[in-house]
Amino acid sequence: MPATALATQKIVVIGLEPTFTAANADGHTIANNGRVALHAKNGSLDDIDVTVVTSKTIDGLALGDRVVTVPAGKERIIKLDSPELTGSTATVTFEAVADLTVAALEF
């Protein structure tokens, strides 16, 4: 099953109460203009790795993906890499999705 699109929520001057959605086992795609972050909330008892896929190659060598660990019971706000690295649509995957909720935030 393909990754599903995750809509970005714009942070405004009066604040934003983000809406979180369950992480998709096949990952999410997120429109990336260079001002987007993924807020991941891990409600599980285990650490979960979140991977921001890098689509860029230089001289035939693929750049490594960015992997961020969200500790058990904690949250992380992960700034997506530049669109030059991820493309205008970033792909994010998850090591596990049980009790993991996410929101894409544009600042």
Side-chain angles (χ1 to χ4, degrees), residues 51-67:
T51 301
V52 180
V53 178
T54 302
S55 59
K56 178 81 171 182
T57 60
I58 297 175
D59 292 333
L61 298 174
L63 295 180
D65 297 336
R66 181 176 310 283
V67 179

Side-chain angles (χ1 to χ4, degrees), residues 4-9 28-38 80-83 86-92 103-107:
T4 59
L6 183 62
T8 56
Q9 302 170 60
H28 287 287
T29 57
I30 303 168
N32 184 14
N33 62 9
R35 298 183 316 269
V36 178
L38 180 76
L80 297 185
D81 292 317
S82 160
T86 65
S88 61
T89 301
T91 299
V92 180
L105 309 175
E106 182 181 353
F107 50 91

